[in-house]
Amino acid sequence: MLEIRSFRRAESLEEAWELNQKKTNRVIGGMLWLKMSHGRCGTAIDLSGLGLDRIEEDDEAFRIGCMATLRQLETHPALNAYSCGAVRDAVKSIVGVQFRNLATVGGSVWGRFGFSDVLTVFTALGASVELYKRGILPIEEFAALPYDRDLLVRIIVPKCGAGKAGFAALSVRNSATDFPVLTVAAGYFHGTCPGIRVAVGARPQKAVLLEDPEGILKDGVTAESAAAYGAWAAEQVPVGSNLRGSADYRKHLTEVLVRRALLKAASAGDAWKTDNTNIGRAETAAVKPDSDPAAAKSDSAGGADAPGVVTFELNGRTVRREISADLLLIDMVREEGALSVKRGCETSNCGLCTVLLDDLPVLSCSVLAARAAGRKVTTLEGMQEEAAEFGAFIADQGAEQCGFCNPGFMMNAMALFREEPDPSEEKIKAYLAGNLCRCSGYEGQLRGIQDYLAWKKRKEGTH
Ligand SMILES: Cc1cc2nc3c(=O)[nH]c(=O)nc-3n(C[C@H](O)[C@H](O)[C@H](O)COP(=O)(O)OP(=O)(O)OC[C@H]3O[C@@H](n4cnc5c(N)ncnc54)[C@H](O)[C@@H]3O)c2cc1C
Ligand code: FES
Ligand code: FES
């Protein structure tokens, strides 16, 4: 794990930029990738007090602050309506909900990772990147730049005349939450900005953009023209081998996924053209500002404590204590007596360390304790009554074998019940995908959840 000497919540972008000019300092987004690096960091530069954790919308574009999380992308109604669900589809398999509540758009795009689902979908959407010093540039130009010491401030997704574009994002993974073997996203634009944008990523290098220089799609996207374009794309896109797939396999996937993504984007665009009467700005405006977890995060991230001191609420009790800059939330809550919170993988994969931070499930092994300043942390100790009721249904199914995964699984399941009191089976599986269990086949846990929810409905007289 990265050793961090000091933590600084920047008060302005200029301050953050100046701090970032020192080579040993690091901007921290969600810290999930950074945490995996070894070595020393002088100052961890935190941008979470700058109001950059919002997705804003006007007639021209969506402006996504660098500290918005992947989960905000996934659940934003208007952005997903505009992108025909492509943004949600692109991020929904990235580890688990607790992970996506932490990983930021800024860190994901800045990283320009070869495996990135995020870079792929934003490339197809025709997004631009706003850098603090360099200004605004198309994302494909940004992707080709060498790493420097600038700051990524926002991602801008232009609206191509409402009702005039269709999008799709597809990927192939060897298992549900693994890194992708290949990602493809397609944008099919009608009207004022006609054309197509197809991005192919996880090749395993970073996403490349394809357009249609040979006019294969000039008469529209049909089963034949999409197949011809897929075959052409497979010849154009350089692919390689790694442990997730061979170059040959990736070439084949390029042909298939490009064809499918194009057909999906074209039909999504047509459906949008016909159906889109009321989705867009009005829907965004309907989201109450105080229900926006990002807004809550900004407001409460005040950090009025002296450096090295943090005040936060743990299970309803106010805690004020000294911390080192690289103390993790998991260690802080355990030192404060919340021993239900346990370590499993420490690589942000298993979900065992799940706690609620301002009521959202997060991986406490991947959050700096300093980031809990002014916030509310809830562990199993703070949810005893609900946990006892729910746990009885899990035990009844014999779903708890060694029991090691149980605290993280219970926390995340209870977070789901708060977000969605009556989830479908598909929603339950998707929400709990980031909680690994090495003993069970997950079926007992699923039955336990369903029985518990049915019991709760009966108890509340809704059934
Ligand atoms: C186990 C694991 C599995 C993953 N699986 C996938 C996957 O399947 N698909 C996928 O697309 N991604 C995947 N990712 C990547 C993940 O989604 C994030 O993209 C990644 O964690 C970076 O986001 P972050 O907010 O954690 O950034 P951090 O780790 O905080 O930062 C990453 C880099 O960006 C820099 N940085 C952060 N914000 C800024 C900014 N505003 N300006 C300038 N520099 C900045 C940091 O200094 C650092 O160099 C995975 C990551 C992990 C750890
Ligand atoms: S995800 Fe935190 S310990 Fe595994
Ligand atoms: S019951 Fe043993 S890891 Fe889940």
Side-chain angles (χ1 to χ4, degrees):
M1 153 94 191
L2 196 63
E3 275 176 44
I4 299 174
R5 274 220 343 258
S6 69
F7 174 88
R8 172 75 193 154
R9 180 165 292 134
E11 285 178 7
S12 66
L13 279 168
E14 185 59 25
E15 184 198 357
W17 183 83
E18 276 172 17
L19 282 169
N20 199 34
Q21 299 320 295
K22 190 164 176 194
K23 277 207 170 115
T24 50
N25 295 348
R26 294 274 176 282
V27 176
I28 48 169
M31 214 187 75
L32 294 145
W33 195 255
L34 265 180
K35 183 195 162 215
M36 313 262 275
S37 57
H38 294 283
R40 295 211 171 104
C41 161
T43 299
I45 309 161
D46 182 16
L47 307 181
S48 60
L50 301 178
L52 291 168
D53 46 10
R54 298 185 188 150
I55 301 177
E56 289 163 336
E57 185 195 7
D58 60 26
D59 290 338
E60 272 82 48
F62 294 92
R63 293 182 168 76
I64 305 167
C66 61
M67 293 301 289
T69 64
L70 299 188
R71 183 76 177 149
Q72 282 172 263
L73 289 185
E74 183 182 356
T75 55
H76 195 274
L79 180 61
N80 279 295
Y82 172 72
S83 70
C84 315
V87 170
R88 182 196 58 228
D89 289 345
V91 301
K92 69 181 183 191
S93 301
I94 302 179
V95 192
V97 166
Q98 311 97 307
F99 181 102
R100 299 196 294 279
N101 273 330
L102 292 173
T104 62
V105 173
S108 299
V109 174
W110 181 268
R112 286 158 272 189
F113 304 113
F115 52 76
S116 181
D117 295 276
V118 183
L119 191 60
T120 308
V121 75
F122 280 135
T123 302
L125 284 160
S128 297
V129 174
E130 181 185 334
L131 300 170
Y132 182 56
K133 289 291 176 186
R134 197 187 273 261
I136 297 175
L137 67 164
I139 196 162
E140 60 272 19
E141 273 181 36
F142 169 74
L145 290 177
Y147 294 99
D148 62 12
R149 312 293 303 177
D150 208 343
L151 299 176
L152 193 159
V153 182
R154 284 180 196 83
I155 300 295
I156 302 164
V157 176
K159 287 186 184 172
C160 170
K164 302 268 173 42
F167 300 96
L170 303 174
S171 66
V172 165
R173 297 173 135 80
N174 292 328
S175 62
T177 58
D178 193 11
F179 288 101
V181 182
L182 198 86
T183 59
V184 172
Y188 181 63
F189 302 84
H190 315 253
T192 48
C193 40
I196 62 140
R197 290 174 71 89
V198 174
V200 182
R203 310 172 286 114
Q205 291 82 26
K206 62 190 153 195
V208 284
L209 173 66
L210 298 173
E211 290 173 294
D212 187 18
E214 298 184 9
I216 300 172
L217 301 167
K218 67 179 182 318
D219 297 324
V221 175
T222 60
E224 294 72 34
S225 66
Y229 190 86
W232 172 81
E235 293 306 320
Q236 305 303 311
V237 176
V239 288
S241 302
N242 67 1
L243 58 89
R244 289 190 170 73
S246 66
D248 279 351
Y249 182 43
R250 283 196 165 92
K251 187 171 175 178
H252 173 70
L253 287 180
T254 303
E255 180 170 351
V256 174
L257 292 193
V258 166
R259 171 170 55 79
R260 288 184 187 167
L262 263 181
L263 287 168
K264 192 170 174 194
S267 66
D270 289 342
W272 169 276
K273 262 199 304 182
T274 345
D275 301 343
N276 176 40
T277 46
N278 60 359
I279 304 176
R281 294 197 65 191
E283 190 156 338
T284 313
V287 177
K288 282 190 261 136
D290 64 357
S291 70
D292 177 357
K297 194 165 76 179
S298 275
D299 293 341
S300 62
D305 290 318
V309 176
V310 73
T311 304
F312 69 108
E313 189 188 309
L314 176 61
N315 298 325
R317 171 173 69 96
T318 301
V319 177
R320 183 176 158 81
R321 52 168 287 163
E322 287 188 5
I323 52 166
S324 62
D326 51 10
L327 182 69
L328 294 170
L329 184 57
I330 185 172
D331 295 314
M332 180 162 79
V333 296
R334 282 182 62 82
E335 284 168 17
E336 293 298 327
L339 297 178
S340 69
V341 188
K342 301 209 164 45
R343 271 194 165 76
C345 64
E346 270 216 285
T347 56
S348 317
N349 274 293
C350 73
L352 179 59
C353 61
T354 301
V355 301
L356 306 188
L357 186 57
D358 288 340
D359 295 326
L360 294 179
V362 299
L363 303 171
S364 63
C365 73
S366 305
V367 179
L368 288 178
R371 279 189 157 165
R375 301 173 75 180
K376 186 171 100 176
V377 181
T378 311
T379 68
L380 214 46
E381 286 81 356
M383 302 174 82
Q384 282 299 298
E385 199 180 321
E386 189 180 346
E389 283 179 349
F390 172 45
F393 285 85
I394 297 299
D396 202 38
Q397 290 296 331
E400 206 184 13
Q401 293 181 28
C402 79
F404 191 62
C405 63
N406 214 37
F409 160 75
M410 299 273 291
M411 285 305 294
N412 204 31
M414 290 190 288
L416 165 64
F417 306 152
R418 287 168 180 214
E419 235 175 77
E420 177 109 27
D422 190 14
S424 64
E425 182 175 326
E426 193 189 1
K427 179 97 194 219
I428 296 169
K429 286 180 175 166
Y431 206 94
L432 294 168
N435 289 86
L436 302 185
C437 173
R438 287 296 176 239
C439 303
S440 76
Y442 302 101
E443 285 300 316
Q445 291 162 340
L446 179 63
R447 284 195 303 272
I449 289 175
Q450 288 171 326
D451 287 354
Y452 169 69
L453 291 174
W455 170 80
K456 245 179 98 174
K457 267 191 197 166
R458 285 197 300 277
K459 194 173 143 199
E460 286 159 10
T462 54
H463 229 25

